[in-house]
Amino acid sequence: MALQFFNTLSRSVQEFVPRDPRRQSVGLYCCGPTVHDFAHVGNFRTFVFADLVRRYLEFKGRKVRHVMNITDVEDKIIRRVRETNAPLRDYTAPFEAAFFQDFQALNCLLPHDTPRASEHIADIIALIEKLVARGVAYRAADGSVYFSIEKYQGAGGHYGRLLKLNFEEMRPGERVSSDEYAKEAAADFALWKARVPDDGAVFWPSPWGEGRPGWHIECSAMSMKSLGPSFDLHLGGEDLVFPHHEDEIAQSEGAGAQPPGQPFVKYWLHGAHLLVEGKKMSKSLGNFFTLRDLLAKGFTGREIRYLLLTAHYRETFNFTFEGLQGARAALLRLDQCLTKLRELAGNLKVQALSALVDQFAGALDDDLNISGAWGAVFDWVRQTNRRVDEHTLDAPEAAAALAAWERLDTVLGVGAPKEVEAPAQVMALLDARQAARKARDFKRADALRDGLKAKGWLIEDTPKGARLKRI
Ligand SMILES: [Zn+2]
């Protein structure tokens, strides 16, 4: 089966055919974090989803250029900067650094380009100038520049590509200046916002006077700068469909930079919402978690990544602590299986077991059917365990299975954790367990093993003695 994705633009599952005539290079843009605070687990669901798309395209042999912007100029940030009285960069830098730490804790591959809005003001102004010159944007009396939906439609543009809008209820020329608004408030939206006292020191000179860009134009300018005026894939959370992505299409196509007949973006993919313990995340409900909150509770980035990767990207996902415990148990099963295979395979290197790789790819080709892919993995774990118990698995078979897993893990990114040094307290527990075993006190030995497991350490009994591994 050829790779297929659900394209929000066509509202259907379509075969993915890159624009590159050789079908090799793929341009992928995912809206990045707004660095006004620590990102929460719902935000990270989108980034893990984008990471899966990129990794799977690379698995399929495509050469992906992955771009993710950093939104560091936007209404919420300016509000916070005003409250803290700090220069913009001083305020955003620690949150940006924290974001990338979290991103790596989840083993997401770093994008090839991570442009900051504050460093692309000239590109943003140039794009707005183009829109003004083409008559689809205008300067209002206060010095702000707005995108005219009416003029855009009049010039043959189509506003409402990603979602149906009721134009009957829209009054031409009505304006919305904030970055976020509902579809009922669809109106001419701000590209450039004239400086107001509340902006503090966050402003830049422009042909229309001092001010700052709106959020939507930032993504149009940075994505086209990095990937060209027409590219393959644009990803984001479903909450960005309107107005952010609709506005991005209008701005980018309104500037007319695309080759004839080519859209700004060929495939729009949207990840669904995340609930926590069955409810919408909110600070007042106590179910609002940043990644660092979860790490502080003793879960690992690997467990969180695994859990986020268990649900199909278009399904609302209920993130629970029970689910995290389940993730820990599932990874433990996987690790135990891999340990046995490594013991059997030794240093033997052979070709990957193609049946497993094919089954896995067959599932992911189908609009990233991740449950099918995990189903293939855990069927294989079960069969492997059975054959190890029956002593019917030989070294070449074990090596082929391991090679297949390594292929799969280039996509899943939950591979065996790196060897890390255990703290002294943990090492003391291991010594106590070894002593208990020596004394044939197996009850105590098992209790100590379970204690280590609860602390996130797994004992591997190897011919060279017991080793500890981070779960
Ligand atoms: Zn964006």
Side-chain angles (χ1 to χ4, degrees):
M1 189 203 287
L3 173 59
Q4 300 186 321
F5 292 130
F6 182 88
N7 187 355
T8 312
L9 202 56
S10 65
R11 294 159 181 83
S12 63
V13 176
Q14 287 182 314
E15 183 182 344
F16 176 69
V17 183
R19 293 179 63 261
D20 170 20
R22 290 171 48 242
R23 298 190 175 187
Q24 289 307 304
S25 302
V26 174
L28 183 160
Y29 185 88
C30 181
C31 290
T34 300
V35 284
H36 70 293
D37 209 335
F38 296 113
H40 57 65
V41 64
N43 300 133
F44 282 110
R45 183 182 186 196
T46 304
F47 299 117
V48 169
F49 155 56
D51 186 63
L52 173 69
V53 173
R54 171 196 168 164
R55 284 171 177 265
Y56 191 55
L57 287 165
E58 289 176 346
F59 172 92
K60 302 275 289 181
R62 313 283 195 211
K63 198 174 172 332
V64 181
R65 179 168 166 79
H66 176 193
V67 181
M68 178 187 72
N69 70 301
I70 303 293
T71 301
D72 62 351
V73 182
E74 176 264 1
D75 291 352
K76 282 196 288 290
I77 295 178
I78 290 172
R79 209 174 308 135
R80 298 278 182 98
V81 166
R82 191 172 68 229
E83 286 160 11
T84 53
N85 247 335
L88 181 72
R89 186 82 192 119
D90 286 5
Y91 180 78
T92 58
F95 291 119
E96 187 186 308
F99 173 81
F100 280 111
Q101 261 175 19
D102 295 351
F103 197 79
Q104 279 169 301
L106 289 170
N107 200 20
C108 290
L109 299 178
L110 271 183
H112 304 97
D113 191 12
T114 51
R116 291 189 191 109
S118 61
E119 291 169 356
H120 286 80
I121 302 294
D123 297 311
I124 294 166
I125 290 176
L127 181 58
I128 301 174
E129 281 185 305
K130 234 183 244 173
L131 293 167
V132 172
R134 287 173 64 89
V136 295
Y138 61 93
R139 181 180 188 272
D142 68 344
S144 294
V145 179
Y146 287 88
F147 186 89
S148 166
I149 293 175
E150 197 191 9
K151 292 273 167 52
Y152 176 60
Q153 303 257 66
H158 176 189
Y159 191 77
R161 296 276 291 277
L162 297 174
L163 117 163
K164 276 202 166 59
L165 290 166
N166 185 357
F167 288 102
E168 306 287 294
E169 283 175 16
M170 276 168 65
R171 277 166 289 187
E174 206 162 289
R175 291 173 203 141
V176 53
S177 61
S178 61
D179 285 332
E180 291 181 60
Y181 51 90
K183 88 176 162 75
E184 294 72 33
D188 289 1
F189 54 91
L191 303 172
W192 186 260
K193 303 183 186 198
R195 182 184 170 192
V196 293
D198 276 354
D199 289 346
V202 187
F203 64 88
W204 288 266
S206 85
W208 314 282
E210 288 169 343
R212 62 177 174 96
W215 169 40
H216 315 302
I217 195 78
E218 295 173 1
C219 275
S220 283
M222 289 186 280
S223 62
M224 293 198 290
K225 167 104 178 182
S226 197
L227 293 168
S230 186
F231 56 90
D232 297 294
L233 282 161
H234 196 313
L235 276 58
E238 66 181 354
D239 53 324
L240 297 188
V241 170
F242 188 87
H244 189 55
H245 290 162
E246 195 63 53
D247 289 353
E248 269 192 56
I249 296 177
Q251 297 159 150
S252 307
E253 297 192 356
Q258 291 74 25
Q262 299 272 340
F264 163 50
V265 171
K266 199 169 173 190
Y267 302 90
W268 286 87
L269 270 57
H270 290 101
H273 284 303
L274 175 136
L275 301 173
V276 175
E277 302 290 345
K279 298 206 172 65
K280 195 172 174 230
M281 236 190 308
S282 90
K283 284 188 176 151
S284 60
L285 284 177
N287 68 346
F288 185 99
F289 297 109
T290 62
L291 189 78
R292 36 208 62 218
D293 294 334
L294 297 172
L295 297 177
K297 284 180 183 292
F299 295 102
T300 63
R302 183 179 181 233
E303 288 160 352
I304 299 163
R305 177 183 175 90
Y306 172 85
L307 182 58
L308 291 175
L309 274 180
T310 51
H312 190 267
Y313 73 97
R314 288 196 287 123
E315 257 168 38
T316 300
F317 180 57
N318 187 20
F319 188 94
T320 64
F321 285 97
E322 205 187 320
L324 275 173
Q325 296 291 355
R328 179 167 288 180
L331 288 169
L332 187 62
R333 265 203 320 278
L334 182 61
D335 288 347
Q336 285 170 334
C337 175
L338 293 172
T339 302
K340 287 182 213 158
L341 286 174
R342 285 191 191 109
E343 280 170 17
L344 276 168
N347 290 325
L348 201 60
K349 292 272 178 260
V350 297
Q351 269 217 321
L353 180 73
S354 60
L356 174 60
V357 176
D358 291 349
Q359 227 182 328
F360 175 83
L364 289 183
D365 275 349
D366 178 17
D367 192 28
L368 301 174
N369 174 5
I370 193 79
S371 319
W374 282 119
V377 169
F378 282 102
D379 278 350
W380 164 76
V381 167
R382 252 189 310 277
Q383 283 164 22
T384 304
N385 285 339
R386 203 193 59 231
R387 294 196 55 199
V388 169
D389 291 345
E390 289 168 354
H391 304 285
T392 57
L393 201 67
D394 62 16
E397 280 178 305
L402 268 181
W405 165 253
E406 272 154 28
R407 271 290 278 139
L408 269 44
D409 197 44
T410 60
V411 178
L412 299 168
V414 296
K418 290 190 189 87
E419 300 290 338
V420 277
E421 209 151 299
Q425 187 202 8
V426 168
M427 288 307 294
L429 284 175
L430 178 68
D431 290 344
R433 185 255 188 181
Q434 296 310 92
R437 265 168 66 110
K438 232 178 179 170
R440 305 192 66 79
D441 183 353
F442 296 114
K443 213 170 146 194
R444 178 168 156 74
D446 287 350
L448 286 161
R449 186 197 57 208
D450 293 344
L452 280 164
K453 202 166 122 186
K455 288 184 188 303
W457 294 89
L458 186 67
I459 301 176
E460 278 188 341
D461 287 309
T462 73
K464 287 181 199 145
R467 272 196 323 212
L468 280 173
K469 212 167 177 187
R470 197 84 178 102
I471 295 172

XYZ file of all heavy atoms in Angstrom, residues 29-32 69 71 215-216 218-220 234-235 240 244-245 248, ligand 1:
144
model
N 6.365 21.480 7.665
C 6.329 22.580 8.641
C 5.325 22.231 9.725
O 4.216 21.785 9.430
C 5.896 23.862 7.935
C 5.941 25.111 8.804
C 7.105 25.872 8.912
C 4.814 25.542 9.506
C 7.147 27.021 9.690
C 4.849 26.684 10.293
C 6.019 27.421 10.378
O 6.066 28.561 11.143
N 5.743 22.417 10.972
C 4.806 22.225 12.080
C 4.852 23.477 12.937
O 5.938 23.943 13.300
C 5.217 21.003 12.907
S 4.072 20.698 14.274
N 3.687 24.033 13.247
C 3.651 25.224 14.090
C 4.278 24.890 15.441
O 3.900 23.919 16.088
C 2.218 25.685 14.301
S 1.506 26.350 12.791
N 5.225 25.703 15.833
C 5.987 25.419 17.050
C 5.375 26.043 18.291
O 4.255 26.552 18.258
N 8.658 26.585 13.807
C 8.944 27.957 14.250
C 8.879 28.078 15.771
O 8.300 27.235 16.460
C 7.937 28.920 13.626
C 6.571 28.719 14.227
O 6.009 27.630 14.159
N 6.041 29.748 14.852
N 7.329 30.759 18.237
C 6.522 31.976 18.333
C 6.982 32.749 19.559
O 6.687 32.369 20.695
C 5.025 31.610 18.450
O 4.666 30.861 17.296
C 4.165 32.867 18.520
N 0.205 37.113 14.829
C 0.753 35.751 14.933
C 0.660 34.987 13.599
O 1.593 34.287 13.202
C -0.020 35.031 16.040
C 0.185 33.555 16.147
C 1.366 32.883 16.006
C -0.816 32.573 16.445
N 1.165 31.530 16.212
C -0.159 31.321 16.478
C -2.177 32.622 16.709
C -0.853 30.135 16.749
C -2.852 31.443 16.982
C -2.201 30.228 16.991
N -0.468 35.115 12.906
C -0.686 34.285 11.714
C 0.340 34.556 10.611
O 0.838 33.638 9.971
C -2.111 34.476 11.190
C -3.132 34.455 12.276
N -3.268 33.363 13.106
C -4.020 35.384 12.715
C -4.220 33.634 14.008
N -4.678 34.851 13.789
N 3.309 35.490 10.859
C 4.648 35.002 11.209
C 4.887 33.623 10.580
O 5.929 33.366 9.986
C 4.794 34.891 12.732
C 4.726 36.229 13.442
C 4.706 36.103 14.974
O 4.755 34.977 15.502
O 4.626 37.146 15.623
N 3.882 32.733 10.712
C 4.066 31.369 10.195
C 4.116 31.364 8.667
O 4.874 30.593 8.078
C 2.962 30.441 10.702
S 3.352 29.767 12.332
N 3.305 32.223 8.020
C 3.368 32.297 6.550
C 4.766 32.716 6.112
O 5.357 32.118 5.211
C 2.365 33.330 6.018
O 1.066 32.797 6.034
N 1.953 20.523 6.133
C 1.852 21.476 7.234
C 1.080 20.783 8.340
O -0.034 20.299 8.124
C 1.128 22.735 6.751
C 1.291 23.920 7.669
N 1.118 23.833 9.034
C 1.619 25.206 7.412
C 1.332 25.026 9.570
N 1.646 25.891 8.615
N 1.684 20.740 9.525
C 1.077 20.035 10.656
C 0.776 21.000 11.794
O 1.381 22.066 11.889
C 2.061 18.983 11.181
C 2.106 17.622 10.500
C 2.426 17.715 9.030
C 3.120 16.727 11.196
N -5.636 24.695 15.804
C -5.042 25.724 14.940
C -5.717 25.817 13.567
O -5.384 26.693 12.770
C -3.541 25.474 14.745
C -2.669 25.530 15.996
C -1.198 25.466 15.622
C -2.925 26.809 16.796
N -5.864 30.174 12.676
C -4.441 30.264 12.334
C -4.112 29.706 10.939
O -3.516 30.396 10.113
C -3.631 29.571 13.421
C -2.157 29.772 13.292
N -1.578 31.020 13.226
C -1.119 28.891 13.201
C -0.273 30.892 13.109
N 0.030 29.611 13.087
N -4.508 28.472 10.680
C -4.112 27.874 9.399
C -4.911 28.426 8.223
O -4.395 28.556 7.119
C -4.204 26.350 9.491
C -3.149 25.769 10.395
N -3.223 24.512 10.930
C -1.996 26.316 10.852
C -2.144 24.301 11.686
N -1.400 25.381 11.657
N -3.194 31.500 7.439
C -1.900 31.233 6.784
C -2.090 30.979 5.290
O -1.316 31.471 4.464
C -1.244 29.995 7.402
C -0.326 30.296 8.559
C 0.489 29.064 8.916
O 1.176 28.508 8.052
O 0.422 28.639 10.084
Zn 1.724 28.532 12.859
